Amino acid sequence: MSLIVQKYGGTSLAGARKVKNVARRIIKTREAGHQVVIVVSAMGDTTDDLIKMAYQINEFPNKRELDVLLSTGEVVSSTLLAMALHGMGFPAISLSGAQAGIKTDATYSGARITDINPARILKELEKDNIVIVAGFQGITDDLDVTTLGRGGSDTTAVALAAILKAERCERYTDVDGIYTTDPRFLPEARKLKEVSYEEMLEMVTYGFKAIHPRAIELGELYGVPILVASSFNDNPGTLIHKEVSMEIRNKVRGIAHDLDVAKITVVGVPDRPGIAAQIFVPLAEAGISVDTIVQNASINNTTDLTFTVAKSQLDIAMAVVEPIAASIGAGKCASDSKLGKVSIIGSGMQNAPGYAARMFDALSKENINIQLITTSEIRITCIIEEALVKDAVKTLHRAFELDKNGKE
Ligand code: ADP
Ligand code: ASP
Ligand code: MG
């Protein structure tokens, strides 16, 4: 009998009616002859509500206590789902992350899974139980509860699928697959039939908030196929896996965008060894994650250095950089907090020229000025004015004919 891991997100479990709907879907899978392990998120906006409550009570909540608090959201949904299954006459048992054997390091609110002992899950499967695991959480060697970071239930699901050698991991949510761009942002978006791990990883990193990045990394590492589909209908979903067919490979697969970009430029930076470290080491020590970095060619032994950070980190990044700029004899620091990113992504790009030219041409026809450009083998990203991101997504979606191709 093959084993399938299914993960249901918060929107799929928001309220008693939806919990029962999920229970019926699980029963269908089981009646099709599969063993099932279920991973659940917290119901609806529970996690946001718990965070809000914690900060109302204490501006600086203790990290250990906060993780225990947040982990309860998934415990609630797992127990209710077990009760729904019992009510429908099926044997089921809920397990917290700790009971499911998920060990993590002690990085509260961003813990990494270090090991999984699947003994309890296997024992329950042997007893013919449907096993429901609370997602997003684990336990340290010292028996403290941790959480894996927002959206972390996806990672729990793929990690369990890997350790249990499941046939696949199915991720059920409120959209019926991965689209060429966020369907809430651009209604012309089309559903993809399949996408490779590496494409998906670039897509989520550059703006598709559609699945937790670490889930994709684990899927690739352990070769777990991940099906993304809706819990509200039976439409075929999108399969994230290793190889996509040759014909589909050879094109842009998606347009990602991100509206959370701020830029800092330090002008007149002396061009000598060690300067970049003098600027970026203190930024890292202040917990600021720097994204794109561009350094101009040096003229008269000075250069301009530009980098981007999340908008929420701009003020603190400026506070770190300004005194350093002064101390190394650089000129002024300028910032812009109204930027966004638009990226074209597709593994077909790695062996074919001309994608950058087509992208820049399409943007220029819309009078969109490109401020910075970064690339990987399968991605080209332009940083542009935030107000123009929607137009840019629309125009690129058309320029690369993502709205047309009805094959998928
Ligand atoms: P869940 O609550 O099930 O975990 P998430 O909110 O984490 O669901 O993920 C689903 C959401 O991802 C969708 O509602 C959709 O708006 C968003 N999303 C962003 N980009 C895309 C995309 N390219 N394709 C599909 N969904 C996307
Ligand atoms: N409930 C957690 C969150 O909202 C984890 C998850 O949904 O995956 O981030
Ligand atoms: Mg989610």
Side-chain angles (χ1 to χ4, degrees):
M1 204 190 310
S2 70
L3 173 78
I4 292 181
V5 174
Q6 294 186 331
K7 179 254 168 178
Y8 290 91
T11 38
S12 303
L13 294 161
R17 205 172 46 82
K18 289 186 178 163
V19 171
K20 286 186 184 172
N21 169 56
V22 165
R24 279 190 288 273
R25 297 183 71 95
I26 294 168
I27 290 168
K28 257 199 222 162
T29 311
R30 187 176 151 114
E31 295 202 315
H34 300 288
Q35 276 187 317
V36 270
V37 171
I38 307 298
V39 174
V40 289
S41 288
M43 298 167 82
D45 296 328
T46 303
T47 310
D48 289 330
D49 295 344
L50 290 172
I51 292 174
K52 246 185 256 155
M53 178 77 80
Y55 280 86
Q56 272 168 15
I57 281 168
N58 185 328
E59 231 183 301
F60 304 102
N62 174 280
K63 289 185 155 193
R64 176 192 178 278
E65 303 306 327
L66 188 61
D67 268 21
V68 179
L69 177 72
L70 297 191
S71 73
T72 61
E74 273 66 11
V75 173
V76 169
S77 49
S78 64
T79 51
L80 292 175
L81 184 56
M83 292 176 201
L85 285 160
H86 297 160
M88 293 172 191
F90 282 79
I93 184 165
S94 67
L95 298 175
S96 67
Q99 290 172 316
I102 299 174
K103 298 265 170 58
T104 73
D105 63 20
T107 317
Y108 294 115
S109 82
R112 297 212 157 233
I113 297 174
T114 50
D115 189 21
I116 299 181
N117 177 354
R120 178 71 189 271
I121 296 180
L122 292 171
K123 199 167 116 193
E124 299 301 337
L125 286 173
E126 205 129 286
K127 286 196 256 171
D128 213 26
N129 268 321
I130 295 170
V131 180
I132 304 163
V133 179
F136 171 61
Q137 56 186 269
I139 195 146
T140 66
D141 287 342
D142 292 334
L143 305 184
D144 282 318
V145 173
T146 53
T147 64
L148 309 180
R150 297 304 306 270
S153 299
D154 294 338
T155 296
T156 305
V158 178
L160 285 177
I163 199 93
L164 296 168
K165 299 197 168 48
E167 190 178 307
R168 64 177 178 274
C169 178
E170 299 176 347
R171 178 192 189 272
Y172 289 101
T173 181
D174 60 344
V175 275
D176 61 359
I178 302 295
Y179 278 66
T180 47
T181 195
D182 187 345
R184 288 195 210 164
F185 199 66
L186 190 75
E188 295 107 282
R190 269 186 327 97
K191 190 169 55 181
L192 295 162
K193 198 166 120 199
E194 54 180 348
V195 60
S196 68
Y197 294 115
E198 56 167 354
E199 287 172 325
M200 195 67 229
L201 197 53
E202 293 271 7
M203 287 170 176
V204 293
T205 310
Y206 284 84
F208 279 25
K209 301 270 181 287
I211 184 165
H212 202 229
R214 273 158 53 203
I216 309 293
E217 281 168 1
L218 279 181
E220 178 163 31
L221 192 62
Y222 291 95
V224 179
I226 305 167
L227 178 78
V228 179
S230 167
S231 61
F232 302 120
N233 59 47
D234 292 322
N235 297 348
T238 302
L239 189 65
I240 307 168
H241 61 155
K242 192 158 182 253
E243 278 303 325
V244 294
S245 64
M246 295 250 306
E247 202 182 336
I248 291 173
R249 239 182 126 79
N250 191 26
K251 61 180 188 193
V252 170
R253 312 273 298 141
I255 316 285
H257 76 274
D258 181 355
L259 298 174
D260 186 15
V261 182
K263 172 180 92 167
I264 296 179
T265 301
V266 190
V267 295
V269 177
D271 189 14
R272 54 168 199 263
I275 285 287
Q278 263 179 278
I279 294 176
F280 291 110
V281 170
L283 281 169
E285 281 168 357
I288 293 163
S289 119
V290 172
D291 187 27
T292 309
I293 303 175
V294 178
Q295 182 180 312
N296 292 348
S298 138
I299 302 170
N300 297 331
N301 287 329
T302 64
T303 165
D304 294 345
L305 194 65
T306 300
F307 59 91
T308 61
V309 294
K311 284 176 183 168
S312 58
Q313 297 204 305
L314 178 61
D315 289 347
I316 154 156
M318 281 295 272
V320 171
V321 165
E322 277 182 321
I324 300 172
S327 77
I328 60 177
K332 71 174 176 81
C333 298
S335 70
D336 184 344
S337 65
K338 293 206 166 52
L339 298 176
K341 254 185 235 164
V342 59
S343 306
I344 61 170
I345 295 153
S347 36
M349 285 161 59
Q350 69 195 329
N351 300 319
Y355 284 93
R358 268 168 77 189
M359 181 178 192
F360 304 155
D361 185 49
L363 293 176
S364 84
K365 283 190 178 128
E366 290 296 310
N367 252 331
I368 295 172
N369 187 36
I370 302 167
Q371 303 203 12
L372 297 170
I373 301 164
T374 67
T375 62
S376 78
E377 281 192 338
I378 64 164
R379 171 186 54 81
I380 304 170
T381 300
C382 294
I383 292 174
I384 60 178
E385 221 180 284
E386 182 186 344
L388 300 176
V389 169
K390 194 158 204 162
D391 286 347
V393 169
K394 202 169 188 169
T395 203
L396 292 172
H397 201 260
R398 291 221 178 106
F400 289 99
E401 301 183 337
L402 294 178
D403 51 338
K404 269 195 203 149
N405 193 332
K407 263 195 303 193
E408 296 180 35

